[in-house]
Amino acid sequence: MDTTGLSLYVLPVKGQTGTLAYAVLDASAGFTFPTGSAANPLLDLFDRLVNGPAVEKANVKQVAIEYRDPGGHRLGVLTASTDVIREFIAGTIDEKTFSAKLHGDVDPLAALQAGTVP
Amino acid sequence: MRRWRPAALMLVAMLSLGACDTSDVQLARDFIIQWATDHAGEIAAHRGGALTSWLVEKDPNQDYVDAAVDGYDVVSNLQEADKLMAKGRQNSDPVAMDAALTRRPDDWSYQLSRADLALQMDDMTSYWGHRNQVQIHSIGVPWQQIDKQQYSELLAVHKRLDRGPGKVSGYTSYQQCRALYDALAVTSGNLGGDPTSTEALSWRKREADCNAMPH
């Protein structure tokens, strides 16, 4: 997988023993979604991140993906627990249910502007 | 039960706009926007802070969720600090390094780079101070990781200051000269698993050259 424009941070979480894996997908720094990914490239990345070698080692309990568009604007961050992601990968829950279990924050203005960036 | 406020409804209206194409970027964007539309109440509550936080149901992993949603500030700070430290390392710039350390004073790797730059600049008080900070903030870090960075940076310092075997004119003090060669000997010995290795002993030999300097 080409990791250009992808930064991954493992952050401690206050009051918890597990950690947070926080990925920044920065299209302005050259990030492109992996070729041959599934129908939903973002969900595919959750899958790839939770199966990465660092996740188990660092006791990652939550994965977050922040997306920055080609203009460098932060559209938002989506996050799910590793348990929920694994349920989705295993097919125990479908995309709609997974989406419902996601949390996050989205900048509506940046999301709108992103549509105008070629 | 969730209750919706005008802010949330406005968010839905704004996010419902937008065209589609088939690129992955557009697919990702569409997914984010759809998710935001479905979770407008949660977003509005988060953006409203404490006043509206009661609007949303708490996730069992709420500490992790909060850390993720607030992760932007943490990561932005980290990225800015990394940029400053990279600039400091590339240009031997203590001001940039100190600015990075202001943002991340507990980062042992930053402290080590700052120590090695201080050694290069013959600022020995600063060198030992930052070395102490490395020890304080590297508990639990594999020593090999620390020594690898240390050796790599010390080799770069040596390359800048060295004038060749038997020559010490590149150094501005005896303390600087001794500290550099001692650290090179120790780290190369550690990494090679033998403090009396040929490489470590060659650094010790160079350390002895420092005696030619006034002290």
Side-chain angles (χ1 to χ4, degrees):
Chain A
M1 176 176 168
D2 181 4
T3 54
T4 305
L6 191 159
S7 306
L8 181 63
Y9 301 88
V10 177
L11 307 171
V13 177
K14 199 176 176 184
Q16 300 292 336
T17 52
T19 59
L20 163 70
Y22 192 101
V24 179
L25 318 182
D26 190 347
S28 69
F31 174 80
T32 54
F33 286 100
T35 53
S37 60
N40 189 321
L42 264 182
L43 300 191
D44 184 53
L45 266 173
F46 273 111
D47 181 348
R48 289 175 189 245
L49 287 170
V50 90
N51 284 312
V55 166
E56 202 120 324
K57 202 173 170 186
N59 193 24
V60 172
K61 297 290 185 192
Q62 189 85 13
V63 175
I65 294 179
E66 178 188 318
Y67 183 73
R68 297 181 191 173
D69 71 13
H73 305 293
R74 178 185 186 253
L75 265 67
V77 61
L78 295 178
T79 181
S81 72
T82 50
D83 288 344
V84 169
I85 297 168
R86 288 196 174 106
E87 283 177 31
F88 176 60
I89 294 167
T92 314
I93 58 173
D94 61 13
E95 183 176 322
K96 193 178 173 188
T97 309
F98 179 64
S99 176
K101 286 176 181 270
L102 283 172
H103 293 276
D105 184 39
V106 171
D107 180 347
L109 289 177
L112 279 178
Q113 285 165 358
T116 64
V117 176
Chain B
M1 183 177 166
R2 296 182 187 191
R3 295 172 61 181
W4 293 56
R5 288 263 171 110
L9 294 172
M10 197 167 77
L11 193 67
V12 172
M14 291 173 76
L15 292 168
S16 298
L17 303 173
C20 294
D21 64 34
T22 54
S23 73
D24 279 351
V25 171
Q26 194 63 41
L27 281 170
R29 175 181 163 268
D30 289 348
F31 180 80
I32 291 171
I33 289 174
Q34 184 58 52
W35 178 88
T37 305
D38 295 341
H39 293 78
E42 179 184 336
I43 295 169
H46 174 70
R47 289 179 171 256
L51 282 174
T52 51
S53 61
W54 57 273
L55 281 168
V56 292
E57 293 166 10
K58 296 294 179 192
D59 188 277
N61 291 330
Q62 196 61 41
D63 286 347
Y64 291 104
V65 172
D66 289 344
V69 174
D70 296 333
Y72 176 65
D73 291 336
V74 176
V75 169
S76 294
N77 182 60
L78 190 60
Q79 289 184 320
E80 186 58 32
D82 277 350
K83 272 186 203 167
L84 287 163
M85 184 51 69
K87 182 184 171 195
R89 285 169 175 152
Q90 189 170 1
N91 303 330
S92 297
D93 179 351
V95 176
M97 281 196 183
D98 288 342
L101 274 168
T102 301
R103 289 172 178 268
R104 291 181 54 78
D106 298 342
D107 190 312
W108 67 264
S109 176
Y110 286 12
Q111 292 285 357
L112 182 55
S113 291
R114 184 64 184 90
D116 292 334
L117 179 60
L119 178 61
Q120 180 181 313
M121 300 172 78
D122 194 20
D123 179 357
M124 298 310 290
T125 304
S126 181
Y127 171 65
W128 292 115
H130 287 289
R131 285 292 300 266
N132 283 340
Q133 290 297 313
V134 173
Q135 287 205 321
I136 291 167
H137 298 298
S138 64
I139 294 167
V141 178
W143 66 265
Q144 295 91 337
Q145 198 177 337
I146 302 167
D147 274 13
K148 273 183 189 169
Q149 179 183 329
Q150 169 81 326
Y151 196 55
S152 164
E153 291 182 349
L154 290 175
L155 286 175
V157 171
H158 183 254
K159 196 174 174 185
R160 291 188 182 103
L161 302 180
D162 181 42
R163 299 290 180 268
K167 296 175 183 170
V168 289
S169 60
Y171 303 101
T172 50
S173 75
Y174 169 76
Q175 288 79 10
Q176 178 195 33
C177 183
R178 283 292 302 271
L180 174 60
Y181 285 114
D182 178 60
L184 281 164
V186 169
T187 48
S188 72
N190 287 346
L191 290 168
D194 178 9
T196 59
S197 67
T198 308
E199 191 177 1
L201 291 179
S202 75
W203 292 125
R204 287 293 176 206
K205 198 175 173 190
R206 295 299 307 273
E207 185 184 8
D209 291 342
C210 302
N211 289 326
M213 298 185 78
H215 58 284

